[in-house]
Amino acid sequence: MSTSTARVVVVGAGILGASTAAHLARAGASVDLVTEADVASGASGRSLSWLNSAGARSDAYHLLRTVGIDRWHTFAARHGHEGGLREGLRFDGGLTWAAPGESFRERHAHELAIGYDSVWLAPEQVAAWTPGVDPSAVAAEGAVFNPGEGWVDLPLAAGVLLAGFRAAGGRLHTGTGRAHPVVEGGRVTGVTTDSGATFAADAVVLATGPRVPRDVAELGLTVPDDSPVSLLLRTGPVDVALRAVLNTPRVAVRPAPGGALVLDSAWSEEEVVIHGEGDYEVKDSTLEGLLAEASRVLAGNPGLQLDGYGVGRKPIPGDGEPVVGAVDGVEGLHVLFTHSGATLGLVLGEFTAREVLTGRPNPLLAPFRPGRFTARF
């Protein structure tokens, strides 16, 4: 389609939707960004936002994630002074160690073999590489430090992207309720929303996080879904030297703007009581336990105060790998559904915008097409 006349609707204003919309508008398309509630009010607002490709995964997925990290470095260089990102986008590394009875030696060896920056540290060496960690909390065998990793505050990043989106003529529509693609004659013609608004389009991009499988199921497409409930806790400001992302057996911790910390863990998510879709109960004992676990891994074991938390489903495709690109059988419809939304947020928006406007598939995305699942018809 002609970039100057292309009409595109992007559904979802998390990091993937904001990035896609910004890249489309910058290229000259006419873009409406439609979101059920507010910007980054879903999974992007409760993400640990660890920028990484640590551990073992498919070669194609690892390559895509490393390209994703590269784009965040570029974004930091170009926009690090905007919208509070000086505090909200950092590359101070990631530190992780194994649970009792497990070992990360093989993980470290794998990372070295594929060229991923990886350093093995004894507990007494940790402070010299990444201060703010209690060495007595580190596994006796040691820990893996990945110097090239980082973290990003996704709501801040989305805000910077959307400032550029608006400057390029893009239109943001919040609080629309659910948006439903309209399909006529085998192609998408726009979306309708629960608020009654309609938007005509030549192409629609669904970036609705964990709701993508449900949204495309209404069109007859099956995308396996393994999205669990996530819980992200935010502390009040605390005087700690920590700058890296910590991934420990009982808690993950990263710094946040304003001197706060954000925390999550697998066990705390399992304690969330699900009463129904969107209706979750978080016990006080879970929050207190998560704060205590974080204090144990920080130097000086500081007292941590709860500032707030977010709870809801986080997107994870059934096979663990991203689901990206054009939907077979519905011309003009594209989807974005991935667990690694933070790491891939910028690059998937860039690649998707280019595919929408040019029709030329990006070879880096070939293994991740929605067509790898059950055909629509």
Side-chain angles (χ1 to χ4, degrees):
M1 66 185 74
S2 169
T3 300
S4 61
T5 60
R7 300 172 303 166
V8 186
V9 175
V10 179
V11 183
I15 189 61
L16 290 167
S19 175
T20 303
H23 280 95
L24 285 163
R26 189 182 307 145
S30 174
V31 188
D32 289 286
L33 176 58
V34 177
T35 186
E36 182 175 13
D38 208 343
V39 173
S41 59
S44 289
R46 52 179 184 270
S47 169
L48 187 70
S49 310
W50 173 31
L51 306 178
N52 79 95
S53 189
R57 52 181 49 84
S58 70
D59 292 345
Y61 195 12
H62 174 68
L63 174 58
L64 187 62
R65 289 174 73 112
T66 57
V67 175
I69 295 171
D70 169 79
R71 293 303 193 273
W72 280 112
H73 279 284
T74 302
F75 193 74
R78 296 189 62 188
H79 303 286
H81 61 286
E82 301 172 22
L85 274 183
R86 189 176 298 278
E87 280 191 89
L89 176 54
R90 304 287 303 178
F91 292 95
D92 295 305
L95 183 74
T96 186
W97 59 85
E102 300 178 7
S103 173
F104 276 173
R105 287 286 188 180
E106 288 188 7
R107 167 180 164 164
H108 172 57
H110 168 75
E111 290 175 349
L112 291 179
I114 63 173
Y116 192 68
D117 200 358
S118 186
V119 180
W120 187 265
L121 300 177
E124 63 272 15
Q125 295 175 303
V126 166
W129 283 83
T130 179
V133 180
D134 185 341
S136 69
V138 179
E141 74 159 359
V144 180
F145 183 61
N146 302 114
E149 296 178 352
W151 60 270
V152 59
D153 185 289
L154 289 179
L156 287 179
V160 171
L161 285 164
L162 293 180
F165 168 71
R166 293 189 187 95
R171 297 170 296 275
L172 173 64
H173 310 271
T174 59
T176 66
R178 278 194 61 195
H180 311 266
V182 178
V183 178
E184 299 176 358
R187 70 161 296 112
V188 72
T189 60
V191 302
T192 62
T193 70
D194 286 351
S195 66
T198 61
F199 302 89
D202 304 301
V204 171
V205 180
L206 286 178
T208 50
R211 294 185 175 180
V212 166
R214 176 203 61 185
D215 292 341
V216 298
E218 296 176 354
L219 303 174
L221 177 74
T222 298
V223 172
D225 181 21
D226 198 24
S227 300
V229 170
S230 68
L231 171 66
L232 188 80
L233 185 155
R234 185 183 180 94
T235 77
V238 57
D239 185 16
V240 295
L242 183 70
R243 296 294 177 267
V245 180
L246 296 185
N247 279 275
T248 81
R250 293 285 295 174
V251 65
V253 186
R254 73 155 169 85
L261 301 171
V262 296
L263 325 171
D264 74 5
S265 72
W267 66 264
S268 63
E269 294 170 352
E270 293 170 356
E271 292 186 358
V272 174
V273 180
I274 305 173
H275 295 293
E277 181 65 29
D279 185 6
Y280 306 106
E281 177 188 348
V282 181
K283 299 176 183 178
D284 289 343
S285 58
T286 301
L287 300 173
E288 293 165 0
L290 200 53
L291 290 168
E293 294 289 355
S295 175
R296 290 189 188 102
V297 301
L298 296 172
N301 308 123
L304 303 176
Q305 301 298 316
L306 176 67
D307 182 60
Y309 65 87
V311 60
R313 292 196 303 145
K314 61 182 175 183
I316 300 182
D319 65 0
E321 302 231 319
V323 183
V324 183
V327 173
D328 294 339
V330 184
E331 186 178 352
L333 181 63
H334 300 250
V335 297
L336 289 170
F337 178 46
T338 183
H339 173 45
S340 47
T343 300
L344 300 181
L346 294 181
V347 73
L348 288 187
E350 173 192 334
F351 289 175
T352 299
R354 190 175 303 137
E355 289 192 342
V356 167
L357 295 177
T358 68
R360 293 192 294 270
N362 188 305
L364 289 181
L365 301 182
F368 309 117
R369 302 303 186 186
R372 71 183 187 268
F373 303 118
T374 305
R376 181 171 178 270
F377 298 109

